[in-house]
Amino acid sequence: VLGAEAMQTAELKSITAKHLAMAAQTMLLLGVVVPMLHDALALRLPAAHVPLLSELEPAEIAAVLSALVVQDRTVDSQHLSLTPHLLEACKRIEQLVHALAHVQRAAGLELDTDAYVLERCKFGLVEVVHEWTSGQPFSEVMQLTSASEGAVVRTTARVRELCCELRSAARL
């Protein structure tokens, strides 16, 4: 199914072809939407934040955004094999989230900034989303993580939703 060999791989029995098809379509859509999002946001963001977007390829943007939408607490981020470029982008996203936490504290919200950053930035599927968005088969991508197939599919769907929301926000 969709070049992912889902029906032939025993580990993928828990995911239906419908869900895999939806996720594969999401990945294709990300290849189209992320460049448009990149261009729209680059026109509207303060100059200090534009380099983060302009230095990333569409697959890298989708991968970095995945860190902001992962909800599965079991996703392991200890053994990531990221390129230096992608690792730097993740650090910059983490810095932006940390700055956001400080703004919220300054506005009177009581929160632990370090805990806030840990809760919001989960980098465990960055490599998986990057590889899948780059065109790797689902069965190969799943070998990069201990996360369930469902967690990967849900994360890619959330990345798509986030891209659509960012695109809409960039139009304002």
Side-chain angles (χ1 to χ4, degrees), residues 27-42 53 56-59 61-62 133 163 167:
M27 299 316 288
L28 290 173
L29 179 65
L30 285 175
V32 173
V33 171
V34 170
M36 293 184 331
L37 170 68
H38 174 275
D39 295 342
L41 288 177
L53 294 174
L56 298 176
E57 295 295 321
I61 293 172
T133 308
C163 285
R167 183 175 171 212

Side-chain angles (χ1 to χ4, degrees), residues 14 36 44 54 64 68 88 92 104 108 123 128 138 159 164:
S14 64
M36 293 184 331
R44 290 166 178 83
S54 63
V64 170
L68 301 174
E88 178 62 28
R92 290 175 66 188
Q104 291 183 33
F123 297 102
V128 171
F138 187 74
V159 169
C164 290

Side-chain angles (χ1 to χ4, degrees), residues 56-95:
L56 298 176
E57 295 295 321
E60 293 172 324
I61 293 172
V64 170
L65 290 177
S66 74
L68 301 174
V69 297
V70 170
Q71 293 183 341
D72 191 337
R73 296 185 189 279
T74 63
V75 174
D76 180 21
S77 61
Q78 297 298 320
H79 307 298
L80 295 179
S81 178
L82 303 178
T83 64
H85 194 243
L86 195 51
L87 187 59
E88 178 62 28
C90 289
K91 287 179 185 176
R92 290 175 66 188
I93 288 292
E94 192 171 38
Q95 290 169 349

Side-chain angles (χ1 to χ4, degrees), residues 16 89 122 152 154:
T16 66
K122 297 181 182 122
V152 172
R154 283 188 299 276

